[in-house]
Amino acid sequence: MEVSSLPPLNNERHNQDTKKHQTLFRLNIVVRVIQSLLTVGVVLLILGGSLALGIGTGYFAYLVEDTTMPTRDELKRDLGNITQTSKLTYSDNSEIATIRSDLMRTAVGSEEISDLIKKAVITTEDEYFEEHKGFVPKAVIRALVSEATGIGSSGGSTLTQQLVKQQILSDETTFKRKANEIILSMQIEKYFSKDEIVTTYLNVSPFGRNNKGQNIAGVQEAARGIFGVDAKDVNIAQAAFIAGLPQSPIVYSPYTNTGDLKEDYSLGLKRKDFVLFSMYREKALSKKEYEEAKAYDLSKDFLKKEAVKADDQGFLYYAVLEEAQDAIAKKNAKKDGISDEDFAEEATYTAYKNRAKKELENGGYTVQSTIDKNIYATMQEAVHDYGYMLDDGSGSRIETGSVLMENKSGKVLGFIGSRDYNTDQNNHAFDTVRQAGSSIKPVLVYGPAIDQGLMGSETRVADYPMKYKDGGTELANATNKGSKTFQTVRESLEWSNNIPAYHIYQKLIEETGSDQFAYDNYLKKMNYPASHDWGVEAAPLGTTDVTTLDQTNGYQTLANGGVYQEGYLIESIKDNEGNVVYQHEAKPVEVFSPATASIMNDLMRSVIDAQITSPFKSVISGLDWNLANADWVGKTGSTDNYADSWLVLSTPKVTISNWSGHGEANIPMNDGSGDRSANYMAYVINKIHQKNGDVFGTNDRFNLSKEVKQVKVSDFTGALPATVDYQNYKLQSPGKEVTSLWAKDGVTDSTFKFGIGGTDANYSSYWKAYLDRIAAEQKKAEQAAKKAAADKAAAEKAKKDKEKTNSSEKKPADKKED
């Protein structure tokens, strides 16, 4: 309608009506638009919902398409694995201990759990528990919306879903994991009753800490560890408190990690009140019961702090368990196609180690160790009885660690972790790393040099005062700054001198062109640590940090004909049905040739027999002459200021090692540590021998390999007899003839510079001393000859004089006249 057709009005009235009309018109338009939008919205919502439902269904199917539906037995195993106890055993299968979890956990049957606790958990954690089939759709949608938008609560898991997450799946928040969680929850609801589900949930869930500060899981441990009652005997307030713990166990727990009551445990009490209200709201409690339980003073029921009993397993339990975890971790990584390099990465190793830990705690495994029960017990008795022999009179306790290993296999038969586990939990047999001192020389210096054909047993090595290449630092032996001569290889090892070892190592580097040659070709094969710079000048003096196990394995290699068998503690691991899931496999590695190994054992026999650095042979002889007749070979070692003392001994059958020192590194001991170690080890070995007379193989002998080359050499040069030109002298085969043991052809003719190391001045001094000695011997011989001639002449003259005298005394007889 046009405005001009309207009846005439005064201007004011007209303006007011016009404005009113326009307002109503606009309002009408807005209403119509809103109606239209609502209509379209409803249509779109219906269509969109159908589309979303179709897409969602398809996406869900995609997420679970590769999920294998477990059977009832498989689900029962996965959900109930807490009841499978694993154990550790000795080599004879007698039990060491059951494997303990970080969580104290005891599973109980449904009848041993109060209905109050069950109702409290259900009403608080899953109000639709009795109705749903594993999940609640609207709760899942709410959780997904919350996850996507960050608005509202993301909770939406039923008790069944929580059970799946705890026992079967991980905690990662991905749609795929959530989809699998739902489908597995439905499968559980299909096979198990509601009571079985809630009972299992209460048996596996974490419940914080007990009054000993231990982490606890399972409702029985919660009831016993917090209130001192069984789970079937709790009152309403106690039931509500326990039921509230799984949501945030450590926060709501009344105890600290020491077992002390928290100064403020009000959060747990508030959570208890919330649980009580949930029970009242769902009509699990009457109003009277609710009010009485809420008013109940629960704090008086909390147990007082209690000390944890001393660990009676100590080193053996933890050492065997640690290696078992490593074995399972490596097996699982290999099964997953993880390379050795990737497995060595800290994050990967830790992940597999944690997985293995859980398997061993809950998998019902039997871990058979290599430990001989009687030998191990005897070694613990021995360190208890004789450990005091190591003390240096300073008033400070000297610690120790030992390993006894079978040579042919690498089995660890027994060990000593420390003098007393209760006072020192550092395992000095397997974990403590200390400088090796001279005990490293046989495997790092002498063995490789002999194996490369650089020297024989009687080769001469310079032992003159010297300095490192920096020109300022002096290198010295333990007892002097150099004996100012050329020692034989055998003598230098007997005396454990540093200067000859230095020259041999430098010769090895020079001949091979690599300062890492000894490590790359020998020590690496024996799993010595790679982190050390094996090329430093001081390396042959034993600056490397090693464990007692490392050293035991190195000497085992030499005692085993040069073949390394990695030391090990785990023989096999079987599951609860007796199936072998891990079996130790021998992986022998030839490190030294049989000739080299036999020469080294011959040299180290001299070390023990000479008793220059250790009186072990005399001490053991005084204890048991038959034991002393065993073919003992070995080496000592000490570090600066006697901070560490080593003694490693082998017979053809076993190797036994010992480290001693302060618990903290680089703290000096008083002089005489070598003698103290010898005394202590002799008594330990004798005690083991008394309990097991066969372990050391007293009748066995090390023999020289048929490959050893026995070469006749000059004892003066250590080389083949030959004419040597020196200062216009022609010296014919100086010295007397002796036998030198060589692993390869390499011995040369005697020359002016016949040995390893040393300067021209050193050789001149050595030869001059020889010539002086020869001259002195000649002069002495001449003097002796002159004296002999004079004596002979005098004797002859005396004889003649006597004869003349006798002749003059005889007169003719007078004739008698008639």
Side-chain angles (χ1 to χ4, degrees):
M1 182 180 296
E2 295 182 6
V3 176
S4 59
S5 65
L6 291 174
L9 298 171
N10 60 52
N11 290 336
E12 184 178 353
R13 175 84 177 267
H14 173 75
N15 290 335
Q16 290 177 350
D17 288 345
T18 299
K19 290 179 180 179
K20 184 177 181 181
H21 176 76
Q22 290 175 344
T23 300
L24 291 173
F25 180 77
R26 290 190 186 114
L27 182 62
N28 185 43
I29 293 296
V30 170
V31 171
R32 289 181 181 180
V33 170
I34 292 174
Q35 288 176 337
S36 299
L37 289 174
L38 287 173
T39 302
V40 172
V42 170
V43 173
L44 290 176
L45 185 62
I46 294 172
L47 293 175
S50 300
L51 180 62
L53 180 62
I55 293 174
T57 302
Y59 184 55
F60 183 87
Y62 165 73
L63 291 174
V64 300
E65 65 179 354
D66 59 349
T67 301
T68 303
M69 287 297 98
T71 64
R72 185 184 191 283
D73 289 341
E74 289 171 336
L75 282 173
K76 185 176 181 181
R77 180 198 64 204
D78 291 339
L79 296 178
N81 61 10
I82 60 168
T83 61
Q84 300 177 26
T85 301
S86 298
K87 64 179 180 178
L88 310 176
T89 73
Y90 291 98
S91 58
D92 64 357
N93 286 316
S94 60
E95 187 171 312
I96 296 173
T98 56
I99 296 177
R100 295 186 295 277
S101 168
D102 287 341
L103 294 175
M104 300 299 295
R105 178 168 48 196
T106 302
V108 293
S110 174
E111 69 282 358
E112 296 179 80
I113 302 175
S114 169
D115 285 339
L116 290 171
I117 297 178
K118 294 178 183 177
K119 290 176 182 178
V121 166
I122 291 171
T123 57
T124 306
E125 297 289 337
D126 190 354
E127 58 183 308
Y128 301 108
F129 180 69
E130 299 294 346
E131 303 166 15
H132 65 65
K133 298 300 182 182
F135 75 104
V136 179
K138 64 179 181 180
V140 173
I141 294 172
R142 183 173 67 246
L144 293 175
V145 170
S146 174
E147 185 70 30
T149 65
I151 301 173
S153 171
S154 62
S157 295
T158 64
L159 284 178
T160 315
Q161 287 174 270
Q162 292 181 47
L163 188 57
V164 169
K165 186 161 59 177
Q166 286 190 63
Q167 295 299 101
I168 302 176
L169 300 177
S170 66
D171 290 329
E172 60 179 334
T173 55
T174 65
F175 289 122
K176 183 175 180 63
R177 191 208 60 77
K178 194 71 177 178
N180 280 311
E181 178 186 297
I182 290 172
I183 199 168
L184 288 172
S185 296
M186 294 172 66
Q187 194 81 343
I188 289 172
E189 293 277 350
K190 173 183 175 181
Y191 289 130
F192 301 100
S193 69
K194 294 290 184 179
D195 186 65
E196 286 176 316
I197 293 170
V198 72
T199 298
T200 302
Y201 173 85
L202 289 169
N203 272 323
V204 303
S205 294
F207 285 87
R209 299 189 181 100
N210 61 16
N211 65 323
K212 299 176 183 178
Q214 298 167 316
N215 293 326
I216 54 176
V219 69
Q220 175 68 357
E221 286 291 343
R224 294 294 304 171
I226 299 173
F227 302 116
V229 299
D230 289 322
K232 63 183 175 60
D233 297 325
V234 295
N235 60 37
I236 296 175
Q238 292 169 345
F241 186 87
I242 290 172
L245 290 170
Q247 187 189 70
S248 189
I250 300 302
V251 172
Y252 294 141
S253 173
Y255 298 107
T256 67
N257 60 358
T258 62
D260 293 296
L261 275 171
K262 293 177 179 177
E263 293 183 5
D264 181 5
Y265 46 79
S266 60
L267 289 176
L269 296 179
K270 289 178 181 178
R271 175 67 177 168
K272 177 261 300 182
D273 290 343
F274 173 78
V275 174
L276 288 173
F277 177 75
S278 298
M279 295 176 74
Y280 171 58
R281 181 192 62 204
E282 298 299 320
K283 297 181 174 54
L285 294 178
S286 66
K287 184 176 182 179
K288 180 182 179 182
E289 289 174 325
Y290 165 65
E291 291 176 344
E292 289 178 348
K294 187 177 180 182
Y296 183 82
D297 182 10
L298 190 64
S299 62
K300 66 180 178 60
D301 290 350
F302 291 143
L303 295 175
K304 293 181 179 180
K305 178 181 178 179
E306 184 178 339
V308 180
K309 292 182 179 179
D311 191 333
D312 59 352
Q313 303 303 330
F315 291 117
L316 180 59
Y317 175 85
Y318 291 110
V320 175
L321 180 59
E322 178 77 12
E323 186 157 328
Q325 290 174 357
D326 278 341
I328 294 295
K330 290 176 184 176
K331 177 186 74 72
N332 289 339
K334 185 177 181 180
K335 183 179 179 182
D336 292 345
I338 304 297
S339 67
D340 291 342
E341 292 76 14
D342 289 341
F343 181 73
E345 293 290 331
E346 184 177 356
T348 304
Y349 173 76
T350 300
Y352 275 97
K353 189 73 173 288
N354 290 337
R355 174 179 161 189
K357 180 175 180 291
K358 184 175 180 180
E359 279 189 48
L360 284 167
E361 288 172 353
N362 303 315
Y365 291 114
T366 297
V367 179
Q368 183 187 26
S369 75
T370 62
I371 298 296
D372 183 293
K373 184 176 183 179
N374 292 328
I375 289 176
Y376 181 79
T378 303
M379 292 181 77
Q380 308 321 300
E381 292 174 11
V383 71
H384 177 270
D385 293 345
Y386 309 125
Y388 72 90
M389 293 181 173
L390 295 168
D391 291 334
D392 62 355
S394 65
S396 180
R397 185 185 184 94
I398 302 301
E399 272 302 344
T400 187
S402 295
V403 175
L404 176 60
M405 181 182 292
E406 185 178 75
N407 293 330
K408 68 178 181 180
S409 65
K411 289 181 181 179
V412 176
L413 304 177
F415 67 92
I416 293 170
S418 77
R419 284 172 62 175
D420 184 357
Y421 180 80
N422 292 323
T423 57
D424 186 353
Q425 289 83 43
N426 294 316
N427 192 327
H428 300 298
F430 301 128
D431 300 333
T432 300
V433 290
R434 292 297 178 88
Q435 287 191 354
S438 292
S439 68
I440 200 69
K441 291 173 182 175
V443 292
L444 176 67
V445 181
Y446 290 83
I450 288 174
D451 204 55
Q452 292 299 308
L454 302 182
M455 64 187 195
S457 63
E458 308 309 313
T459 298
R460 292 276 176 173
V461 188
D463 187 31
Y464 288 84
M466 62 161 292
K467 295 180 179 179
Y468 285 108
K469 293 177 182 178
D470 63 12
T473 306
E474 197 170 48
L475 174 61
N477 300 321
T479 58
N480 56 49
K481 295 181 179 181
S483 60
K484 299 181 179 180
T485 188
F486 282 86
Q487 291 186 320
T488 66
V489 165
R490 188 181 299 275
E491 289 171 338
S492 68
L493 194 61
E494 289 174 357
W495 283 90
S496 194
N497 282 335
N498 294 327
I499 296 172
Y502 171 89
H503 288 307
I504 294 169
Y505 198 61
Q506 291 302 310
K507 177 71 171 178
L508 184 64
I509 292 173
E510 178 186 336
E511 292 293 326
T512 61
S514 170
D515 61 6
Q516 299 292 313
F517 180 84
Y519 173 73
D520 291 338
N521 293 275
Y522 295 96
L523 276 77
K524 185 177 182 179
K525 294 178 181 179
M526 296 182 284
N527 287 324
Y528 274 85
S531 58
H532 186 73
D533 183 358
W534 295 92
V536 298
E537 289 184 86
L541 278 62
T543 56
T544 314
D545 287 334
V546 297
T547 67
T548 308
L549 178 63
D550 290 335
Q551 287 299 81
T552 312
N553 235 157
Y555 283 69
Q556 167 273 328
T557 303
L558 293 171
N560 195 39
V563 178
Y564 171 79
Q565 291 279 19
E566 184 175 8
Y568 70 102
L569 279 168
I570 306 301
E571 194 64 61
S572 68
I573 302 176
K574 297 179 181 178
D575 64 21
N576 63 334
E577 296 179 353
N579 300 311
V580 176
V581 298
Y582 170 82
Q583 179 68 53
H584 174 77
E585 295 181 11
K587 296 178 181 179
V589 179
E590 183 172 306
V591 180
F592 301 98
S593 70
T596 298
S598 65
I599 292 171
M600 285 306 304
N601 289 323
D602 185 79
L603 292 174
M604 291 193 293
R605 182 190 295 115
S606 294
V607 171
I608 300 303
D609 289 346
Q611 302 193 81
I612 296 169
T613 60
S614 174
F616 170 79
K617 195 67 178 285
S618 293
V619 181
I620 200 73
S621 297
L623 294 173
D624 188 320
W625 67 269
N626 184 50
L627 183 56
N629 286 332
D631 199 1
W632 294 105
V633 306
K635 183 72 181 70
T636 58
S638 62
T639 56
D640 289 346
N641 299 316
Y642 306 103
D644 305 279
S645 179
W646 294 86
L647 177 58
V648 190
L649 298 159
S650 295
T651 67
K653 194 171 183 180
V654 295
T655 294
I656 185 169
S657 62
N658 182 72
W659 165 87
S660 60
H662 285 280
E664 296 182 25
N666 300 323
I667 298 178
M669 293 185 288
N670 289 334
D671 195 3
S673 60
D675 289 352
R676 293 192 295 272
S677 293
N679 286 322
Y680 166 73
M681 280 292 279
Y683 276 83
V684 170
I685 288 170
N686 184 54
K687 194 172 187 71
I688 297 171
H689 177 68
Q690 288 175 344
K691 292 291 182 71
N692 187 331
D694 298 328
V695 65
F696 293 105
T698 53
N699 295 321
D700 300 334
R701 291 291 177 270
F702 287 110
N703 297 308
L704 286 176
S705 166
K706 294 179 180 179
E707 299 175 10
V708 173
K709 300 181 184 303
Q710 302 188 43
V711 185
K712 299 296 183 181
V713 299
S714 161
D715 73 334
F716 180 77
T717 62
L720 295 172
T723 300
V724 179
D725 293 327
Y726 174 66
Q727 294 185 351
N728 299 320
Y729 290 95
K730 286 190 177 295
L731 305 174
Q732 300 291 332
S733 300
K736 63 182 180 181
E737 196 175 73
V738 294
T739 300
S740 185
L741 307 177
W742 284 72
K744 291 182 176 180
D745 290 329
V747 63
T748 59
D749 288 343
S750 296
T751 60
F752 171 71
K753 296 184 71 170
F754 51 80
I756 296 176
T759 64
D760 287 347
N762 296 153
Y763 283 98
S764 292
S765 174
Y766 188 73
W767 280 108
K768 183 178 183 303
Y770 173 73
L771 290 175
D772 289 345
R773 187 174 77 247
I774 296 299
E777 289 175 354
Q778 288 177 344
K779 184 176 181 180
K780 185 178 180 179
E782 289 173 358
Q783 290 174 344
K786 287 180 180 179
K787 184 177 183 301
D791 290 344
K792 182 178 180 182
E796 289 176 351
K797 182 177 182 301
K799 182 179 179 183
K800 289 179 179 179
D801 289 344
K802 185 177 181 180
E803 289 175 349
K804 184 177 181 180
T805 300
N806 291 337
S807 176
S808 64
E809 288 177 350
K810 292 181 180 179
K811 295 180 178 180
D814 293 337
K815 290 184 179 181
K816 193 174 187 179
E817 293 181 356
D818 294 337

